[in-house]
Amino acid sequence: MRFSTELARLATFATVWLGIVGASPSHYAKPDSDDTAWDGTLENIITRDVCVIGGGASGTYAAIRLRELGQSVALIEKEDHLGGHTRTYHDPETGTPIDYGVWVYENNTEATNFFAHFNVSLTVQDFTRVSEGSQRYDLRTGEPVAPPAGNITDAILRYTEQLLKYPYLAEGWDLPDPVPEDLLLSFRDFVAKYDLAAAVEVITLYVQGLNRNILDYPMVYIMKYFSLGVLQGIQKGFSTTETHDNQALYAAAQAELGEDVLLSSTAISIRREVVDPETGSEEQHHILVRTPTGVTLIKANKLLVTIPPILSNLEPFDLDDRERSIFAQFQHSFYYTTVLTLSGIPSDVQILNRGNDTEYNIPVLPGAYVFSPSSLPGTFMGFFGGGDQNLREEEVRGIVQDNALSLRNAGYDLETPDILAYANHSPFELFVFAEEIGNGFYRDLYSLQGYRGTWYSGAAFHAHSSAALWKFTESVLVDKVLSD
């Protein structure tokens, strides 16, 4: 793969929220008592080959493909719609759609086929106009911030040279043993080692939503996020829906799945490897689900989990010590997206939040990363990092407004922004520390594939990219779930 000086265009795409995905942020909590539903009197029982938990990018793709592959499916989703981190706001007056979650997609066969299956047309997204109008400010004060020093293109080329050493990162978390030392370096130390200072702004603008100071993260997470697939998209173009309404894909999937998808529903108790007390033989998994119409029991031969596998999400599961010890190591961050009015900002200006007094001018969190103009004049997408703080909606809205109003000090004539749409994408970017990675965390995590008749997909098992996850999920289905 050859990377030319076109990589200078990277700044154009620095704030693209490329398929940052997962199942919708859901807490599948146990009820006060689930015993009453296991007493044999439950009438609403359905039987399926596979039960999928989580209707984000991975879960929706899996449900559609499993049906294509001849499997019967039940898909459980907490929200009243599919799509996970995909969010689209429709202006009530003009009907103009604004994607403020998943924005664009890497190009691969699975993505092309998935959109084609629903006759959803794609187009190439061009961000040049937005990039050329980028302005840097410290949104705590409204003070201008200087652009990064050095040659960005050369720095990105050096980064790419290092990334090419680890092609297996594009396929998942199947790391060699021992894990290469550079992958365990902090982002800060990696930048110093390979002279990447000029590229830090570009990388950090793209790699949004991380927990602690991004410079402290193990480098492998940066490479998984700012991947070869992203760099290829920069050269050849990313894809997005022709209507710029990414939710349309999931609306079509929801219509096709029909009664096989249980919306506004949560798994409240899951018993795997159930044994028939009379025969002693192993029966199907039993998944008890609270739906808008009452409690349903799903009996399924296999289980595919795509929600973020943190312990609070897995409370309904009958986890054993092995599973619990692995999942308990995950930490995560908090990430939010908005649509807001910024009537005083020209529609060809993008506002980047940078810190005047921080290392590499990284923005201070909690705070906005960027205000990016939409196709609707005066309306912007605002991407917001909570870091390690779990903020209430009113807190996020307040800080977003304060960040925007700081631009009055920069000379912009701004009214108080009206926040038109809000989404909470937490828990986001599950991670562990470098020592745990080096000690084989991801080897242990992957050893759970197929354990107790349960398989996994989703961002924690690969990457925050819809297209990359569709490819990964395809391999999980074909090579694991259906081959067992």
Side-chain angles (χ1 to χ4, degrees), residues 27-30 268 310-319:
H27 183 176
Y28 290 86
K30 286 185 178 179
I268 53 178
I310 58 176
L311 290 183
S312 59
N313 276 353
L314 300 177
E315 284 185 8
F317 285 73
D318 53 346
L319 299 179

Side-chain angles (χ1 to χ4, degrees), residues 40-329:
T41 62
L42 191 64
E43 295 182 357
N44 194 10
I45 300 175
I46 60 176
T47 301
R48 295 290 190 270
D49 293 318
V50 184
C51 178
V52 181
I53 298 182
S58 300
T60 302
Y61 180 89
I64 294 294
R65 285 293 290 135
L66 284 167
R67 284 173 33 130
E68 284 187 313
L69 295 167
Q71 300 292 297
S72 60
V73 177
L75 173 60
I76 304 169
E77 168 55 39
K78 181 181 179 183
E79 303 296 333
D80 62 0
H81 61 278
L82 299 177
H85 293 304
T86 301
R87 291 289 192 278
T88 305
Y89 170 78
H90 294 86
D91 178 65
E93 294 184 5
T94 66
T96 302
I98 300 174
D99 287 318
Y100 66 106
V102 176
W103 201 349
V104 295
Y105 304 88
E106 297 175 32
N107 294 293
N108 61 30
T109 300
E110 289 73 20
T112 300
N113 290 345
F114 198 37
F115 282 102
H117 176 84
F118 297 107
N119 295 316
V120 175
S121 299
L122 296 172
T123 189
V124 176
Q125 180 70 62
D126 180 13
F127 295 96
T128 303
R129 176 183 62 83
V130 175
S131 174
E132 290 174 348
S134 292
Q135 301 291 326
R136 299 169 180 82
Y137 296 98
D138 188 324
L139 295 186
R140 295 171 295 173
T141 63
E143 296 177 353
V145 178
N151 189 307
I152 296 175
T153 300
D154 288 349
I156 290 296
L157 285 171
R158 288 193 293 275
Y159 173 84
T160 303
E161 289 173 0
Q162 297 306 312
L163 186 57
L164 285 167
K165 295 179 180 179
Y166 314 106
Y168 46 81
L169 295 179
E171 305 301 325
W173 281 99
D174 190 11
L175 303 176
D177 186 14
V179 179
E181 180 181 347
D182 275 359
L183 295 183
L184 301 180
L185 287 179
S186 70
F187 183 26
R188 175 185 292 102
D189 289 345
F190 192 89
V191 167
K193 182 174 181 178
Y194 293 104
D195 188 21
L196 302 179
V200 169
E201 179 185 89
V202 169
I203 295 173
T204 57
L205 281 171
Y206 182 83
V207 183
Q208 297 179 14
L210 302 191
N211 191 351
R212 307 166 290 141
N213 185 332
I214 188 173
L215 296 171
D216 294 331
Y217 265 75
M219 190 61 203
V220 65
Y221 287 113
I222 310 300
M223 288 183 161
K224 289 285 290 182
Y225 216 144
F226 200 63
S227 65
L228 287 174
V230 173
L231 291 169
Q232 289 171 333
I234 291 165
Q235 278 206 310
K236 299 178 182 179
F238 293 104
S239 294
T240 192
T241 53
E242 194 169 59
T243 59
H244 299 282
D245 183 352
N246 288 327
Q247 193 63 50
L249 173 71
Y250 293 95
Q254 184 173 316
E256 180 170 313
L257 290 169
E259 293 183 354
D260 284 345
V261 57
L262 284 67
L263 297 173
S264 302
S265 300
T266 56
I268 53 178
S269 188
I270 298 173
R271 297 181 178 180
R272 292 169 289 170
E273 302 172 333
V274 176
V275 176
D276 187 321
E278 295 183 1
T279 66
S281 62
E282 186 176 299
E283 293 185 328
Q284 299 159 309
H285 302 319
H286 290 184
I287 303 99
L288 199 65
V289 183
R290 181 181 290 116
T291 78
T293 58
V295 176
T296 295
L297 176 61
I298 300 173
K299 295 183 177 181
N301 295 325
K302 298 178 180 180
L303 189 63
L304 177 66
V305 179
T306 67
I307 60 174
I310 58 176
L311 290 183
S312 59
N313 276 353
L314 300 177
E315 284 185 8
F317 285 73
D318 53 346
L319 299 179
D320 63 17
D321 290 343
R322 173 183 170 187
E323 294 167 316
R324 186 172 297 277
S325 66
I326 294 172
F327 293 132
Q329 296 178 63

